[in-house]
Amino acid sequence: MTETLRIPSSTGRPPLRADFTAGKGRDLAVVLPGLRYGCDRPLLRGTAALFERAGCDMARLAFDYAEDEAFMTAPDAEQFARIAADGRDIGAHLSAMRAYERVWLIGKSLGTLSMGAALSAGIGASERTRAVWLTPSLLGTPLLSWMRNWPGVGVAVLGTEDPSNRPELLEALGRQPGLTLRMVAGADHGFDHAEGRDAARRAIGEAIDTVEQWRKQQL
């Protein structure tokens, strides 16, 4: 059964919403979607399913940034500040629910900024937290600096056609302790593929398989 969580905002905005599904209660997986890439989209849906099948409690965030005109027209610095504040609120609220043995953070694009801000702020013990960075938003954002502030273990998956596929950014990721980086040929930021839907499905499958292999290594 799925219930709705209301996560209070420290900025005075309406509460953030998450759909929560109970599993075995030992581990928690938090799914943080992109700006227009919701938890029901193929890459996030398939990745989240790995953790749901493993018995994790699941919290899937429902972001509404794309419908907020004030947010969409705000300067980048204001957008990043709000995403960061929301990410810290999410992390603090969910980590206080119970003493989970392990917390898996799964972010896509904008969601990687949310989790990056929370981790950089020290929310969640690094020895109990694992990060799944799907198409991390590295270009023109504070994300890389936030990732450097966190000493934990994670996996990052990027398509070769993603705007963040730049030598200097990949080199920086490669120097990040505890981070496994995997590139998927032909995939863009939304994990579409120039060769069409079948190629996109294969790329998504490759990304999900990468996360599953990495997840099993953490057990």
Side-chain angles (χ1 to χ4, degrees):
M1 179 181 293
T2 300
E3 62 177 300
T4 300
L5 299 179
R6 304 286 179 180
I7 300 172
S9 171
S10 62
T11 61
R13 292 184 174 87
L16 298 152
R17 184 171 64 82
D19 294 327
F20 180 83
T21 306
K24 297 178 181 178
R26 186 182 66 183
D27 286 7
L28 172 68
V30 183
V31 187
L32 300 134
L35 179 66
R36 295 187 176 89
Y37 198 101
C39 294
D40 59 337
R41 297 288 297 279
L43 180 59
L44 268 185
R45 184 178 68 243
T47 302
L50 301 174
F51 296 88
E52 190 163 30
R53 287 196 295 268
C56 295
D57 288 359
M58 303 294 301
R60 294 175 170 89
L61 273 295
F63 290 152
D64 61 358
Y65 298 111
E67 289 75 50
D68 186 337
E69 184 178 356
F71 173 85
M72 295 299 293
T73 57
D76 287 351
E78 292 183 18
Q79 291 183 348
F80 297 147
R82 178 173 167 188
I83 294 167
D86 289 348
R88 292 189 291 267
D89 290 340
I90 292 164
H93 184 86
L94 295 180
S95 63
M97 289 198 310
R98 65 185 303 167
Y100 286 103
E101 291 184 17
R102 185 162 292 168
V103 176
W104 308 84
L105 299 179
I106 306 160
K108 167 73 175 79
S109 191
L110 182 148
T112 63
L113 293 169
S114 298
M115 60 192 263
L119 294 171
S120 177
I123 297 172
S126 59
E127 66 272 13
R128 294 190 298 108
T129 305
R130 296 292 181 269
V132 180
W133 311 92
L134 301 176
T135 69
S137 294
L138 301 168
L139 189 62
T141 78
L143 179 57
L144 193 56
S145 64
W146 290 340
M147 292 174 74
R148 286 173 176 155
N149 288 337
W150 184 62
V153 175
V155 61
V157 181
L158 275 167
T160 58
E161 303 308 306
D162 193 297
S164 290
N165 181 16
R166 296 196 175 191
E168 67 276 16
L169 296 176
L170 298 188
E171 182 182 355
L173 284 184
R175 295 195 303 267
Q176 183 72 15
L179 182 70
T180 299
L181 173 63
R182 293 289 182 267
M183 303 299 295
V184 178
D188 64 15
H189 191 66
F191 257 71
D192 292 323
H193 198 290
E195 295 180 8
R197 292 183 179 180
D198 288 344
R201 281 193 288 269
R202 289 193 295 271
I204 290 167
E206 181 180 340
I208 293 170
D209 287 346
T210 292
V211 174
E212 177 66 344
Q213 292 169 20
W214 171 85
R215 184 191 70 83
K216 289 179 177 177
Q217 293 170 1
Q218 309 309 309
L219 302 178

